[in-house]
Amino acid sequence: MEPDPRRPARRRLLTGAAALTASAALAPFGTATAGAAASTRRLTPGGGTYPPCQWVPASPSNFTTAKRPTQYPVEMVVIHVTQETYAHTLKLFQNPAHKAAAHYVVRSTDGHLAQCVRERDVAWHAGNWDYNTRSIGIEHEGWIDDPAWFTDILYTRSAQLTAAICDRYSIPKDREHIIGHVEVPGSDHTDPGEFWDWARYLQLVNGLSWRTAM
C-alpha cells in the first residue's frame, strides 16, 4: 500500500538525536516463524507475555543500542501518528538515512503490531534525547487530520500494548506518563492531533489485558 497521493507531503517521521551508548534487559523475543526481513514473534518479558508482534527491525543507524532499564529508566510511553502508511513507515525505519524509528508501529485496519526496536534500546522517536532514553515510542498508522484511521481495533491493540509496557516497568497509566509527541519539549510535531481520543485510550489502557481482549 503506497502513501495516499492526496495527502500532504509526508512529514519527517520523527526526529532523533544521534547520541551513543546505553543498555538493560528486556527479555528477548522468542523465536517463531522466521523470514529474511521480518518474523512473527512473541515478546515474553519476566512477569507476563506481551501481545504478539511482528519483528521488523529498524536500521541500526536509527536507534542507539542500550541496556534499559539499567542504564536509563523507562518512565513513559509516547504516542505518535505516522503521517504515512504502515508499510511505508516500516520502510523508512529500515532506511539508514532516515535517522529515526519508534519501538512499535500499529496498523489501522487490523491492529497488527510490528516491533522495530527492542525496548532495551533507545529509539530515536521523540526529537528529544532525554525523552528518548526514558520512553517507549508507539507509532499509529494514519494522518492526524483524518480520524477514520483511528479504528476501534487500532485503539484496542495499542492500549493492550501500552498496558503491558506500563505493567512491565511500573509506569503509572495516566496522562503524565502516557503522552503525545506534541507534548515532548522541543518537539515541532503535533501528533497524535486533536482527533486522538485520549479519554477513550486511557480508559482502555486501564481496563484491558491483551490476554482477555484479543
Side-chain angles (χ1 to χ4, degrees), residues 4-114:
D4 187 337
R6 297 171 298 174
R7 296 288 179 188
R10 65 179 163 83
R11 69 173 170 113
R12 273 177 309 138
L13 253 184
L14 325 169
T15 56
L20 284 282
T21 94
S23 277
L26 176 69
F29 278 102
T31 58
T33 58
S39 61
T40 300
R41 305 179 179 213
R42 252 179 223 278
L43 186 60
T44 54
T49 302
Y50 274 22
C53 298
Q54 182 181 10
W55 176 236
V56 187
S59 167
S61 298
N62 295 331
F63 65 90
T64 298
T65 302
K67 292 181 181 177
R68 301 191 305 171
T70 301
Q71 186 167 0
Y72 302 107
V74 179
E75 300 175 330
M76 68 188 81
V77 176
V78 179
I79 301 299
H80 302 263
V81 173
T82 60
Q83 298 291 95
E84 286 288 358
T85 64
Y86 171 88
H88 197 66
T89 298
L90 297 181
K91 289 180 181 178
L92 285 171
F93 289 173
Q94 293 173 327
N95 180 355
H98 187 57
K99 303 304 180 185
H103 292 92
Y104 295 96
V105 185
V106 187
R107 192 160 60 198
S108 174
T109 54
D110 57 3
H112 182 79
L113 299 175

Side-chain angles (χ1 to χ4, degrees), residues 17 68 72-73 75-76 122 126-135:
R68 301 191 305 171
Y72 302 107
E75 300 175 330
M76 68 188 81
V122 178
N128 177 311
W129 175 245
D130 178 55
Y131 274 65
N132 283 342
T133 64
R134 297 187 292 116
S135 67

Side-chain angles (χ1 to χ4, degrees), residues 177-194:
H177 298 86
I178 304 170
I179 66 172
H181 194 182
V182 66
E183 297 169 83
V184 174
S187 172
D188 60 355
H189 292 258
T190 59
D191 55 312
E194 63 178 310

Side-chain angles (χ1 to χ4, degrees), residues 144-200:
I144 62 173
D145 61 347
D146 186 355
W149 289 90
F150 305 150
T151 59
D152 290 344
I153 192 63
L154 176 141
Y155 274 119
T156 298
R157 293 293 167 82
S158 175
Q160 290 164 351
L161 175 61
T162 293
I165 292 168
C166 289
D167 288 344
R168 173 161 175 76
Y169 299 103
S170 300
I171 300 171
K173 297 173 183 176
D174 58 33
R175 283 287 283 116
E176 292 184 16
H177 298 86
I178 304 170
I179 66 172
H181 194 182
V182 66
E183 297 169 83
V184 174
S187 172
D188 60 355
H189 292 258
T190 59
D191 55 312
E194 63 178 310
F195 295 114
W196 182 261
D197 191 339
W198 279 110
R200 176 185 182 185

